[in-house]
Amino acid sequence: MSFLINRRRFMQATSSAMVAGALSSASGRALAASAGELRVNFSGGNAGDAFNEAFLKPFEAETGIKVTFIKADFTSTQISMMVDTKNISADVVMLGQTYVDPLAAKGYLEEIQYSNWQKEELEALPDYAKQPNGFASYVYSANMVYNTKKFPADKPRPTSWAEFWDVEKFPGVRALVTGERGGGPWEEALLADGVPMGKLYPMDIDRVFASLDKIKPHIRKWWTTASEVLQIMRDNAADIVQSYDGRALSLIDEGAPIEINRNEAMLMTDYWCIPKGSPNSENAQKFVEFTGRADRQAAFAQLFALSPTNEHAFKTIPDNLARKLASHPDYASSSFALQSKWYNEIGPDGKSNKERLVQRWNEWILQ
């Protein structure tokens, strides 16, 4: 998950009427005042603080359900162990995009009951957010990001992954994400080789690595974590990189000479899921529905730069902030969504596409 952490803005926002208004708005809905409890998992830090203000507190105020905030990052193994041992420690968990389908296929996740959602909210949500066993309330993106001192506005700038690959027309130090964890620069390599955004999947793995062969000699760093690429940009260790938009935005807010290219951006997300057998599953369903509401997503986006999936949320987000978010309507035609289902498909060799990519990467990077 990519986070923009700006504590000063968060503190300003939480003390503003925005949050107070959000709470008031939430409590203005039908007060269910239902008894019971709920344990919700999300990351800690500033992201967790923002999550608490935008979602947990208003949910408690509206429903009367006592919420316990569990600050942790669960793995798919932990979720399966919870279910197998019938020791569910969180009723709602936040899971990475590629974790959901394998867990759902093994029966470890409850189905999300979208039939209980308001029609207006449901229709404002994209299909990729509404998975049978998980719901995505925010989205972020992987983008091309460049240093504006290297690529000033009055000179040509790379605007596509094909131009990122064009080291003669756009010379400069480059960095891309490593493929050792399965989430490498696969889609970007295909785009650079001329594959249209709408025809990336199923990915041609041979073509991916043929394209990577061309850029490999020009990559200074294959970065591993989002914090690492943040440091690369902060230290001016590369002129043009692949980065999560939130990390780049945090530097832009600090005044760094960084600009995000939104063309051919890959949208990524995480999902709210309910472990099978949760003792508070009914309340969990209510909470997941709550995260889909436009007013809650707008409140969260104004505290923390993760973009809403509900298009109606943009009606209340100031334009100067909205244009920093990955799912802004103006970027829809130049973005594509990562298809996690393809990563999890199992081939005749018994391996998933993600596993094949990792194996191929580990062989390729040593060549």
Side-chain angles (χ1 to χ4, degrees), residues 72-94:
D73 293 317
F74 286 111
T75 66
S76 55
T77 301
Q78 289 172 309
I79 300 300
S80 59
M81 287 181 65
M82 278 188 203
V83 177
D84 286 339
T85 61
K86 302 185 187 313
N87 184 20
I88 311 294
S89 59
D91 304 300
V92 181
V93 295
M94 173 57 74

Side-chain angles (χ1 to χ4, degrees), residues 69-253:
F69 185 6
I70 299 174
K71 299 176 181 177
D73 293 317
F74 286 111
T75 66
S76 55
T77 301
Q78 289 172 309
I79 300 300
S80 59
M81 287 181 65
M82 278 188 203
V83 177
D84 286 339
T85 61
K86 302 185 187 313
N87 184 20
I88 311 294
S89 59
D91 304 300
V92 181
V93 295
M94 173 57 74
L95 294 176
Q97 195 165 357
T98 58
Y99 290 174
V100 178
D101 288 334
L103 285 169
K106 295 177 181 177
Y108 286 124
L109 302 177
E110 300 278 0
E111 289 191 6
I112 304 301
Q113 297 174 2
Y114 294 109
S115 59
N116 296 332
W117 294 36
Q118 292 183 20
K119 183 180 178 182
E120 181 183 358
E121 304 282 17
L122 206 55
E123 290 179 347
L125 293 160
D127 289 341
Y128 70 79
K130 300 175 289 187
Q131 296 300 308
N133 300 90
F135 170 70
S137 63
Y138 62 79
V139 62
Y140 54 98
S141 63
N143 305 73
M144 181 196 311
V145 176
Y146 48 76
N147 188 304
T148 55
K149 290 185 177 178
K150 178 68 177 182
F151 299 104
D154 60 347
K155 293 184 178 179
R157 292 170 157 177
T159 59
S160 67
W161 289 107
E163 291 185 336
F164 183 102
W165 257 240
D166 190 342
V167 297
E168 293 187 3
K169 185 176 180 180
F170 299 100
V173 179
R174 286 159 161 77
L176 286 171
V177 65
T178 178
E180 65 187 33
R181 297 182 177 183
W186 323 125
E187 287 85 353
E188 290 78 9
L190 291 178
L191 290 166
D193 201 42
V195 179
M197 287 192 297
K199 296 185 177 180
L200 290 171
Y201 303 98
M203 283 200 283
D204 182 336
I205 294 177
D206 288 337
R207 189 170 179 178
V208 166
F209 282 91
S211 179
L212 288 175
D213 282 341
K214 300 173 185 175
I215 197 66
K216 186 179 181 181
H218 308 285
I219 299 301
R220 173 74 59 84
K221 179 69 176 179
W222 301 97
W223 55 266
T224 304
T225 64
S227 58
E228 188 177 4
V229 71
L230 180 71
Q231 196 61 46
I232 289 171
M233 290 187 287
R234 179 176 282 128
D235 295 343
N236 295 318
D239 301 312
I240 178 170
V241 304
Q242 176 190 19
S243 171
Y244 302 120
D245 62 337
R247 298 290 177 172
L249 281 167
S250 67
L251 287 183
I252 293 171
D253 284 349

